[in-house]
Amino acid sequence: MLTLFFAPLVSITIFPISSLPILFTLYILSGFGMAGIGIMHDAIHGSYSNNRTVNKLMSYTINLIGTNVEVWRLQHNVLHHSYTNVEEHDDDINAPRFLRFSPHSPKTKLHKYQHIYAWFFYGLTTLTWVTVKDFVKYKRYFRMGLIKDRKEYRKGLLRICLSKVLYYSIALIIPMIFSSFSIGAILGAFIVMHFVTGFVITLIFQIAHVTPDTSYPLPNEDGDMEYERLVHQLMTTCNFAPKSRWLSWFIGGLTNQIEHHLFPHISHVHYKDIAPIVRQTADEFNLPYYSCDTFISAVVQHFKMLHFLGKMETQYVYSKYD
């Protein structure tokens, strides 16, 4: 995946390419490489290797694709995995106002059409990551107390800036300087690359949690959740295409989202082996185990949920699971 990301960009820089279709094709291939760099996902969870140094080194591959390891760790490991599908706490469903991923979010008239227009905005996701999102999120996490002090906050901002400089140099500036293409052509191909990456990554994460089956539990008046962590993850997560080896390889085992949310410290290469045990145990204790047989069926279910959330009024129910 690292090769798929870097090789097209290197080719644009060192080979005498003058065809715009080839330019856009190479950037699109690089976009798939960005989407498939799952090394960082396992590494940030500490499950890529038994060696902490190796995990730390591999986690920095996320900086090579324009976002930041510290922001990702806080958004994904700390918030998403701790508060999966919990309104205002899980940043994966804390969408802009024109998108509604939770039945507890306020509904507007515009949401009626989100099942049509949401897909376009999915493609813009990583463009916001590499421009403003990391800075906005990092500031928010500082205010939430997830960053220990102002000195560490300032150091983190510097690291984010340096990672952006590195990424833009690789993906944009060097091709602009050394290729035969105009600045406009490179910029256009760069945007298309990110549209591909953003669409793929966002779809992968949304079809695992925003579905007609998954729940959106809320804390009680004391701020406590009714169900403990493992049950909560079963209620709020859905597998898709669990038998697809190539898709599992491409997205780092995230087809087995249930197993990942139950055991994020375990390398994804073991999910296919522990999945039957998890499913059998869930059945034994009469707990949910949601799974779509194919990727397409999961996308269809997500489409249905977007349509449903676009029509459904705000519901402050604790949980759909009984």
Side-chain angles (χ1 to χ4, degrees):
M1 288 302 162
L2 287 170
T3 301
L4 187 58
F5 170 60
F6 280 111
L9 298 177
V10 173
S11 299
I12 293 166
T13 302
I14 66 175
F15 293 116
I17 300 170
S18 58
S19 169
L20 278 177
I22 293 178
L23 172 68
F24 276 76
T25 299
L26 289 171
Y27 261 102
I28 289 171
L29 287 173
S30 186
F32 278 110
M34 287 178 64
I37 295 178
I39 294 172
M40 66 84 182
H41 183 255
D42 271 5
I44 297 175
H45 277 295
S47 60
Y48 178 78
S49 169
N50 290 326
N51 187 300
R52 289 186 178 182
T53 302
V54 173
N55 279 321
K56 186 174 183 180
L57 178 63
M58 291 297 101
S59 70
Y60 284 112
T61 56
I62 194 174
N63 289 28
L64 297 176
I65 59 174
T67 187
N68 180 265
V69 62
E70 295 170 76
V71 177
W72 176 275
R73 182 181 62 79
L74 292 173
Q75 175 180 332
H76 185 75
N77 291 22
V78 176
L79 296 179
H80 173 62
H81 273 264
S82 299
Y83 308 103
T84 311
N85 276 17
V86 179
E87 175 73 7
E88 296 184 356
H89 294 278
D90 181 359
D91 262 6
D92 280 19
I93 63 169
N94 287 341
R97 291 186 178 181
F98 50 82
L99 292 173
R100 188 175 189 235
F101 292 148
S102 167
H104 310 301
S105 300
K107 188 178 80 70
T108 69
K109 293 181 179 179
L110 186 61
H111 292 139
K112 181 179 179 180
Y113 307 100
Q114 71 169 1
H115 60 291
I116 299 173
Y117 65 72
W119 314 93
F120 170 76
F121 289 102
Y122 287 179
L124 303 181
T125 303
T126 56
L127 276 173
T128 65
W129 283 6
V130 300
T131 51
V132 299
K133 181 180 176 181
D134 282 343
F135 297 102
V136 172
K137 292 289 186 182
Y138 200 65
K139 184 176 182 179
R140 177 170 174 261
Y141 299 153
F142 174 64
R143 290 177 173 175
M144 290 171 62
L146 297 178
I147 301 165
K148 60 182 182 180
D149 55 45
R150 186 168 293 277
K151 183 178 180 181
E152 179 57 34
Y153 172 67
R154 289 172 178 169
K155 287 182 178 179
L157 283 179
L158 178 60
R159 288 191 290 267
I160 292 174
C161 290
L162 291 176
S163 67
K164 301 297 182 189
V165 171
L166 174 63
Y167 172 70
Y168 280 116
S169 298
I170 294 171
L172 201 57
I173 305 303
I174 293 177
M176 282 182 176
I177 294 174
F178 293 101
S179 76
S180 59
F181 294 100
S182 67
I183 292 176
I186 295 292
L187 187 59
F190 175 82
I191 292 173
V192 170
M193 173 186 73
H194 268 285
F195 192 89
V196 170
T197 307
F199 185 83
V200 172
I201 289 179
T202 305
L203 196 58
I204 291 301
F205 283 103
Q206 294 305 327
I207 65 177
H209 299 288
V210 183
T211 77
D213 288 328
T214 52
S215 298
Y216 299 83
L218 291 174
N220 61 23
E221 293 180 354
D222 296 324
D224 298 322
M225 304 300 294
E226 180 176 353
Y227 299 102
E228 59 86 42
R229 187 186 72 84
L230 297 181
V231 175
H232 180 97
Q233 297 303 330
L234 288 168
M235 292 166 51
T236 56
T237 309
C238 181
N239 286 354
F240 55 90
K243 295 183 180 180
S244 176
R245 290 181 178 271
W246 76 266
L247 184 59
S248 177
W249 169 79
F250 177 64
I251 62 175
L254 293 180
T255 50
N256 286 93
Q257 282 277 344
I258 291 174
E259 287 68 35
H260 171 61
H261 271 259
L262 293 176
F263 310 110
H265 58 287
I266 295 178
S267 173
H268 76 268
V269 300
H270 302 299
Y271 293 164
K272 67 181 183 299
D273 297 319
I274 66 175
I277 303 171
V278 172
R279 185 159 203 163
Q280 180 181 348
T281 305
D283 291 341
E284 181 182 347
F285 288 91
N286 195 30
L287 295 171
Y289 187 96
Y290 304 126
S291 183
C292 293
D293 291 337
T294 66
F295 178 75
I296 297 299
S297 64
V299 173
V300 171
Q301 290 302 306
H302 179 59
F303 175 87
K304 290 180 179 179
M305 191 60 179
L306 287 176
H307 185 257
F308 174 72
L309 289 172
K311 296 190 302 180
M312 177 188 181
E313 295 297 332
T314 303
Q315 297 290 319
Y316 289 98
V317 294
Y318 174 71
S319 171
K320 62 166 279 189
Y321 178 65
D322 186 0

